[in-house]
Amino acid sequence: MKNLNKIIWTILCCLLLMACSKEGDQGPIGPQGEQGIPGVDGEQGEAGTANVIYSDWIASGFESPIVGANASFSIENIEELTDEIKSTGVIMVYGRYTDTYTHIEPLPKSIFGLRMQYYDFQVNDVNQNIAIWISSIDGSDIGIPIYDDYRYIIIPGGVPSSEKSAIDYSKMDYKEVLVHFNISESSD
């Protein structure tokens, strides 16, 4: 008896669902509603960083192999590297190398494993140069540098922003910086 009741309830539910199906033609479109009141203009946003400066990839200036525990080379005569940018802007340098895949990494960078190397850069206070340097982490000869070429991105300072809206570009990876500033991925 219980099974018969279940079967009857199941059949009734199916008939109810089938009876609720949509039939008939769609009715005519109703009249257009009234135009709303225009909204209020928003506040002026903070000044952006529209004048981002970036280089193409620059071939490494390091000898290979490097005999010694320290070495450096300079990217010279960067006209846009003004005193104002040095004091208020953001300067980022990336190294690139290719093995099976192309790797792009921000400096400073420590490399461990077969190569015990530390890479960093320094903006020269006196002239318009960026010095890229490499050191051996364990004090041995550096050997073959890992990066084939380098690229810099300079973000001029703008209007100081509140702590909540300030963007820490050092937390962005290379691709995020390119997208954020609409920078093309140049290739040599």
Side-chain angles (χ1 to χ4, degrees):
M1 191 63 140
K2 285 184 181 181
N3 286 339
L4 183 60
N5 283 341
K6 287 182 185 179
I7 293 172
I8 292 173
W9 277 108
T10 304
I11 292 171
L12 283 174
C13 289
C14 289
L15 289 173
L16 281 173
L17 287 174
M18 290 175 16
C20 294
S21 66
K22 181 179 175 182
E23 291 182 22
D25 296 331
Q26 184 172 344
I29 296 175
Q32 176 71 28
E34 290 184 29
Q35 179 71 28
I37 300 170
V40 179
D41 288 341
E43 292 181 29
Q44 177 65 33
E46 295 178 22
T49 51
N51 299 320
V52 173
I53 302 151
Y54 53 93
S55 69
D56 285 332
W57 287 101
I58 300 163
S60 174
F62 289 116
E63 301 280 330
S64 185
I66 298 172
V67 178
N70 299 294
S72 68
F73 81 94
S74 289
I75 302 171
E76 298 181 352
N77 302 320
I78 304 169
E79 293 178 21
E80 300 88 357
L81 199 53
T82 63
D83 289 338
E84 182 179 354
I85 285 178
K86 290 177 190 177
S87 63
T88 64
V90 175
I91 301 165
M92 298 180 287
V93 176
Y94 295 89
R96 176 174 74 172
Y97 72 94
T98 302
D99 51 19
T100 306
Y101 303 100
T102 298
H103 303 271
I104 299 172
E105 301 171 331
L107 302 186
K109 179 73 175 180
S110 296
I111 309 289
F112 295 99
L114 295 175
R115 300 176 192 194
M116 300 288 286
Q117 301 169 352
Y118 176 72
Y119 291 79
D120 206 348
F121 72 96
Q122 181 176 8
V123 177
N124 191 308
D125 289 334
V126 177
N127 56 34
Q128 296 170 305
N129 297 347
I130 296 176
I132 298 174
W133 50 272
I134 179 174
S135 297
S136 169
I137 294 173
D138 62 3
S140 64
D141 287 345
I142 293 169
I144 299 172
I146 194 166
Y147 298 115
D148 301 315
D149 41 21
Y150 299 87
R151 182 181 202 184
Y152 61 82
I153 297 176
I154 301 170
I155 306 165
V159 176
S161 62
S162 67
E163 285 185 35
K164 289 183 181 179
S165 65
I167 297 173
D168 185 354
Y169 302 112
S170 67
K171 302 273 189 227
M172 295 177 149
D173 68 24
Y174 178 70
K175 292 291 185 190
E176 289 171 327
V177 171
L178 293 184
V179 169
H180 184 79
F181 292 108
N182 196 26
I183 297 172
S184 65
E185 175 58 64
S186 61
S187 60
D188 289 351

